[in-house]
Amino acid sequence: MTEHIVDDFYTARNLLYLGAYPQALNALSQFTHLSGALELEHKSLLYRAYLGQGNYAMILDEIPPNTSDLTLQAIRQLTLLKQQTSVDSHSAIIEKVEELIASSNDLQNTTFVAVAAQILIICARLESALKILALHPRNLECVAMTVVAYLSINRVDLAQKLTAKLRTWAEDAPIAQLTEAWAALFVGGAKYNEAFYIFEELAQASSVSTSRLLTALAVCKMHLAQYPEAESLLLEAHEKDTNDPDVLANLVVCANLTSKSLETKSRYLSLLKHGAPEHPFVVDLELKDAEFDAIAARLSA
C-alpha cells in the first residue's frame, strides 16, 4: 500500500467520522483501478458514506444478500437495520450478524468488527460487541466503538480510562478527539466547556461544519444554559440535513427549554416520529406516555 493511498484513505475516514459524507465521497472518488484488500476497503468506505446520507436502496441494490465478503455483508445488515422502522424486525439482523461472527475463521478485519459491533450496540447486545472489539485495542475505530458501548450503559469511568489511554498513542486523531468529547459530555459540569471546544476545534480544523458537529456543539450549549446559541446551531444543522433525527430530537428539547409554541414543538416531534420512529428519544417518550396513562388509569379507577 502506498503512502499516498494510506493518507487519502485516512482523510476520507476522518471525514466519515465527522459526518462530512459528501466530502468523504469526494476524497474517495479520486481512486481508480484498485484491487484486492484496497478495493474492498475503498468499497466499504464508499458504502458507509452513502449509508450516512440515507441512500439505503442503492446500497442494498449493490450489495447482494449472498455476498461472500464479511465487511460488505455487515454493511448490508447495518443498512437493513437503519432502514427498519420496528424493533421487532431486529432479531433477524442480530441472528445474521452473530452468524457472520461465528463463521469467521479470524476477526482480524477491523472494519468488519467495527461495523458488526455498531449493529450489536444499537440492538443492545453490548456483551457480544465488547467481546469482539476487545480483539483490537490499538485500532481507533474499535476503541471509539468501545467508548460508545461503555457510555450507553453509563460506565463513564471505563470510557474515561479508555480515552485517557487513547490519548497516549493517538491524541491528534479526530476520532480520538471525538471520543474524548463524548466522554466529557457524559461527565458534565466543567467538562461541558471542554467538550464544546473539542467539537469546535474539529469543525475548524476540518473546515466542515456538519450537522453532526453542529448538533454536538448545540448539546454543549444547552447543558451550559445558553439556549439561544444552541437554537441557532440546531437551525443551522437542520438546514444542512432536514432529516437528521438527532437534530430533530434536540430541536424538540431546545424548543421546550426556550418556551417555543406548542405548534413548533409538535412540528419537530412529528417530523422525528415519522422519519425515525425507533429513535431512542421517541421510544423513551412513548414509554413515558404509556406509564403516565397507566398511572392515570389506576388513580381514576
Side-chain angles (χ1 to χ4, degrees):
M1 187 184 299
T2 67
E3 190 64 30
H4 172 69
I5 289 178
V6 170
D7 286 344
D8 279 338
F9 272 15
Y10 177 79
T11 298
R13 206 184 313 275
N14 286 332
L15 289 167
L16 186 68
Y17 299 147
L18 297 173
Y21 305 119
Q23 293 88 339
L25 289 168
N26 184 57
L28 290 165
S29 67
Q30 62 185 291
F31 295 106
T32 57
H33 309 300
L34 298 174
S35 61
L38 279 179
E39 183 183 16
L40 287 174
E41 179 64 14
H42 183 261
K43 277 186 178 180
S44 72
L45 289 169
L46 278 173
Y47 286 134
R48 293 170 75 189
Y50 284 126
L51 179 58
Q53 291 183 318
N55 292 320
Y56 307 139
M58 188 267 302
I59 297 170
L60 295 175
D61 283 343
E62 294 193 11
I63 303 179
N66 61 345
T67 181
S68 60
D69 183 76
L70 283 179
T71 302
L72 295 183
Q73 184 62 256
I75 292 171
R76 179 179 173 83
Q77 296 306 313
L78 180 59
T79 305
L80 288 169
L81 181 65
K82 295 283 188 179
Q83 191 183 49
Q84 303 293 350
T85 58
S86 172
V87 172
D88 296 334
S89 55
H90 291 182
S91 57
I93 294 172
I94 297 170
E95 183 179 344
K96 181 63 177 179
V97 171
E98 291 179 338
E99 177 187 314
L100 291 173
I101 293 169
S103 65
S104 175
N105 292 325
D106 67 55
L107 292 169
Q108 296 309 304
N109 185 324
T110 54
T111 302
F112 166 71
V113 169
V115 175
Q118 184 180 354
I119 294 170
L120 292 170
I121 291 169
I122 292 171
C123 297
R125 299 298 180 96
L126 298 176
E127 186 176 348
S128 297
L130 289 169
K131 184 177 179 180
I132 59 174
L133 289 169
L135 299 171
H136 300 286
R138 298 281 293 186
N139 177 267
L140 277 169
E141 189 168 12
C142 289
V143 173
M145 293 305 300
T146 305
V147 170
V148 170
Y150 286 149
L151 293 175
S152 70
I153 54 174
N154 291 317
R155 288 305 306 267
V156 183
D157 56 328
L158 295 178
Q160 284 185 293
K161 286 179 182 178
L162 198 53
T163 55
K165 187 181 295 183
L166 184 58
R167 281 198 301 272
T168 65
W169 57 273
E171 182 177 12
D172 295 330
I175 193 167
Q177 296 174 48
L178 277 174
T179 58
E180 186 175 356
W182 296 337
L185 272 176
F186 271 73
V187 174
K191 290 287 186 177
Y192 288 135
N193 272 316
E194 182 179 317
F196 178 85
Y197 291 128
I198 293 173
F199 289 129
E200 186 176 49
E201 185 179 330
L202 282 169
Q204 292 173 350
S206 62
S207 300
V208 291
S209 293
T210 64
S211 62
R212 179 178 295 179
L213 284 174
L214 289 167
T215 302
L217 289 166
V219 170
C220 295
K221 287 294 187 182
M222 282 192 283
H223 280 298
L224 293 166
Q226 297 173 8
Y227 305 131
E229 294 93 332
E231 182 182 22
S232 178
L233 288 163
L234 287 171
L235 290 174
E236 185 180 350
H238 189 51
E239 285 181 9
K240 290 181 178 292
D241 188 348
T242 56
N243 298 315
D244 189 319
D246 291 331
V247 175
L248 291 169
N250 281 286
L251 277 169
V252 174
V253 174
C254 193
N256 276 291
L257 293 170
T258 52
S259 301
K260 287 290 186 292
S261 67
L262 180 60
E263 181 184 4
T264 299
K265 291 182 278 191
S266 297
R267 182 185 307 118
Y268 291 140
L269 186 57
S270 177
L271 287 170
L272 178 59
K273 285 183 174 180
H274 283 92
E278 295 304 320
H279 190 278
F281 183 88
V282 176
V283 173
D284 185 58
L285 185 62
E286 291 179 344
L287 178 63
K288 287 180 170 57
D289 281 343
E291 290 174 346
F292 179 85
D293 292 342
I295 293 171
R298 285 200 302 270
L299 292 175
S300 61

